[in-house]
Amino acid sequence: MTIEDIKKLIDKEESITLELKKTTGELKDAMHTACAFLNTDGGWLIFGVTPTSRRILGQDVNDNTQREISQALSGLEPAVEAKVNYYDVPGSDGKKLIVIYFDAFVWGHEPYTYDGKPYYRVESTTKQMPRELFEERLRAHHPDFYAWERRKSDWLSITDLNEDRIRGALRLGAEGGRVPDSVLTEPLKSILSKLQLLSSDNQPNNAAAMLFTKNGKGFYPQFTIQMARFRGTDKNEFIDNQRAYGNFFDLLDAGMAFCFKHLSLSGKITGIRREEHLEVPVAALREALINALCHRHWEEYNAFVGVAIYDDRVEIFNPGSFPHGMTPENITEPHGSFPYNPIIANVLFKTTFLESWGSGVHRIVDACLAQGLPSPVWSVDKGMVTVTFQRPKHDPSTPQVRPKYPSSAPQAALENSQVNDKKDPSTTQVRPKYDPSTTQVQELIIHMSDHFMSIKSMIAACGLKSRKRFRENYVTPALKDNAIERKYPNEPNHPRQMYRLTKQALEWKKSHED
């Protein structure tokens, strides 16, 4: 760089990458800016120029000046290798310009501080970095040390985790091809270790508690979901207000059941089948709620994941922020996967509850568009990330059918008839005789008989591929309907489990074949 290059550089006003100082008498303030450059987009720090008129004056430079600059730079942490350049100012009797360039911040590197305080650049202004931004960068640089999910649970032991739920989740993962079948018979401690759910002393970490706790109530107040149905389009009046507490699967089930309770179900006959749709697609709501639970800031114990239903919209929100570089404006553009809680996200991926590679947003949007609804809107405000779904216009006087939401809990015991013991008070329809509750159950009955079949054979008979969706949409509802029964009813997780039609399902099938 020459003195002419510097003249061209300072012809521009001070900006996010340029700071002008008259002399090194402003050295301390200049180091705040140097720290800000290092934490933002990099930039030029130039001494010997008046900031307002951008007149080149230069300054006297001696050994003491160079020593002061070196000492000032040593106050930056981590240490910086910044070359200090000196340029003669023509016609100034030996005065010099002092020019230092600082590299831009690289995401994942340790954030910089000066005298123990972090700074960053906002346009042409140097400001002290907000605590949450500084902590986010610390976590990105050293996730093993700073992440909440990796810390040892202060209250729970392995016996406080729900083993049935853990093994049930892994069975879904094995059926989905994401974990080997051999993991199903491993000791529990070995499983937890492989899933990174144990601390260094082999005790559950916070991620294990969040996913699988069975008795942590009171220890983790943030393991709560708040749900409300408001009258109208504001929060002035409740129709229904609930809270539920528990692990990931408990909260997911509670949130989805609340949506099923307060959103309308519609259906139409296509051929001999009835197609039913929740007014906001179930797949979109479920994906949004999974994302809210997976990516929320769990260290914030006094804030909750929530579902708010208004006359015109549904909002799902969680304490948190978007990943670095992602905004409400560009979230629907193709992007990678940057989970805030990578251990929790990895377990949910392996157990088929979460997809990788940042595809969740697209599935939410596609599900809404396929049902004729506008794309949902994401927003961030006061530490809360919210996704808003528009409800279709409907006649509020039309009676709503309240289907029960099938539990997403992975343990096989939740597939059995104990779910049917909890009657839904909003259900008014009484069937005089058996009738399949969904078109999927109807289809399953048509393709089965009184001979036991494996899950693999059942999927093939129905012409399907996805084990996960087959269990969710066919097997679980059919068990609740008492349309199918297990070969080993007392061992739901039996490795050779098979299913056949019950007597009532056989009678229904025969009546429709005649």
Side-chain angles (χ1 to χ4, degrees), residues 65-310:
T65 306
Q66 294 176 335
R67 185 165 50 254
E68 288 177 348
I69 293 174
S70 177
Q71 289 176 347
L73 289 171
S74 68
L76 291 166
E77 293 182 348
V80 175
E81 294 183 6
K83 184 179 179 181
V84 183
N85 298 284
Y86 300 92
Y87 296 88
D88 293 325
V89 177
S92 64
D93 195 21
K95 294 184 183 296
K96 298 179 182 294
L97 281 177
I98 305 171
V99 180
I100 312 173
Y101 179 76
F102 297 92
D103 291 326
F105 181 73
V106 177
W107 185 256
H109 287 194
E110 185 177 358
Y112 289 88
T113 63
Y114 181 72
D115 281 348
K117 295 180 180 180
Y119 298 88
Y120 76 132
R121 198 78 167 164
V122 180
E123 298 300 333
S124 61
T125 304
T126 293
K127 295 186 176 183
Q128 189 165 327
M129 185 180 292
R131 178 180 174 180
E132 59 270 18
L133 178 57
F134 183 65
E135 290 180 346
E136 180 185 14
R137 295 190 176 193
L138 285 176
R139 283 191 296 269
H141 172 64
H142 201 342
D144 289 354
F145 182 80
Y146 292 101
W148 172 89
E149 64 174 355
R150 291 183 181 272
R151 299 176 199 161
K152 174 184 173 182
S153 172
D154 293 329
W155 303 284
L156 305 184
S157 65
I158 291 179
T159 58
D160 295 313
L161 303 180
N162 190 324
E163 183 173 356
D164 288 340
R165 185 156 282 183
I166 294 170
R167 294 192 181 277
L170 287 173
R171 181 169 295 280
L172 292 177
E175 292 173 353
R178 297 186 182 181
V179 298
D181 290 340
S182 59
V183 77
L184 300 177
T185 57
E186 289 189 22
L188 181 59
K189 183 175 288 188
S190 174
I191 292 172
L192 295 173
S193 178
K194 288 183 177 180
L195 294 175
Q196 302 181 62
L197 296 177
L198 296 180
S199 61
S200 58
D201 58 355
N202 289 322
Q203 292 300 307
N205 57 24
N206 286 332
M210 198 286 114
L211 289 164
F212 299 115
T213 183
K214 62 182 179 183
N215 60 358
K217 188 171 184 180
F219 300 133
Y220 290 96
Q222 65 267 52
F223 291 3
T224 300
I225 184 170
Q226 57 184 12
M227 301 160 287
R229 170 63 170 102
F230 296 98
R231 190 184 305 278
T233 59
D234 55 34
K235 296 181 178 180
N236 291 336
E237 183 180 354
F238 289 107
I239 295 176
D240 191 3
N241 186 19
Q242 299 181 21
R243 283 193 179 187
Y245 174 87
N247 58 41
F248 169 88
F249 303 100
D250 298 327
L251 301 183
L252 175 60
D253 284 346
M256 289 303 299
F258 192 81
C259 290
F260 268 70
K261 179 180 179 182
H262 288 289
L263 296 179
S264 299
L265 185 73
S266 62
K268 64 178 181 179
I269 303 298
T270 303
I272 64 170
R273 299 184 179 183
R274 175 180 173 85
E275 295 182 357
E276 297 179 336
H277 298 283
L278 206 62
E279 61 176 276
V280 178
V282 174
L285 292 169
R286 188 173 186 274
E287 186 74 30
L289 193 51
I290 287 175
N291 286 343
L293 292 167
C294 176
H295 303 307
R296 74 148 284 175
H297 291 185
W298 288 105
E299 62 272 22
E300 297 184 16
Y301 63 89
N302 58 347
F304 308 127
V305 171
V307 176
I309 300 178
Y310 302 84

Side-chain angles (χ1 to χ4, degrees), residues 54-65:
R54 298 189 294 283
R55 179 185 174 192
I56 297 178
L57 301 175
Q59 76 166 71
D60 293 323
V61 175
N62 52 36
D63 290 345
N64 186 55
T65 306

Side-chain angles (χ1 to χ4, degrees), residues 453-505:
M453 299 174 66
S454 67
I455 286 287
K456 183 177 180 181
S457 299
M458 293 160 65
I459 292 174
C462 293
L464 303 173
K465 294 182 179 180
S466 171
R467 280 179 173 264
K468 174 177 179 283
R469 289 181 173 81
F470 184 72
R471 278 194 173 275
E472 289 180 352
N473 299 328
Y474 290 76
V475 177
T476 299
L479 284 166
K480 292 177 181 177
D481 262 19
N482 195 29
I484 60 175
E485 59 187 3
R486 298 186 181 92
K487 184 175 183 179
Y488 305 98
N490 297 323
E491 299 179 71
N493 293 327
H494 195 287
R496 294 184 179 86
Q497 187 64 269
M498 303 177 80
Y499 303 84
R500 70 179 179 185
L501 293 179
T502 61
K503 182 178 179 180
Q504 69 171 10

Side-chain angles (χ1 to χ4, degrees), residues 385-422:
V385 176
T386 302
V387 55
T388 302
F389 299 90
Q390 292 301 313
R391 297 181 65 181
K393 293 181 180 179
H394 62 280
D395 183 355
S397 64
T398 302
Q400 298 183 10
V401 179
R402 305 296 190 191
K404 291 192 70 176
Y405 172 66
S407 171
S408 64
Q411 69 223 65
L414 290 182
E415 297 176 351
N416 64 22
S417 59
Q418 68 180 3
V419 179
N420 287 327
D421 293 339
K422 300 176 182 179

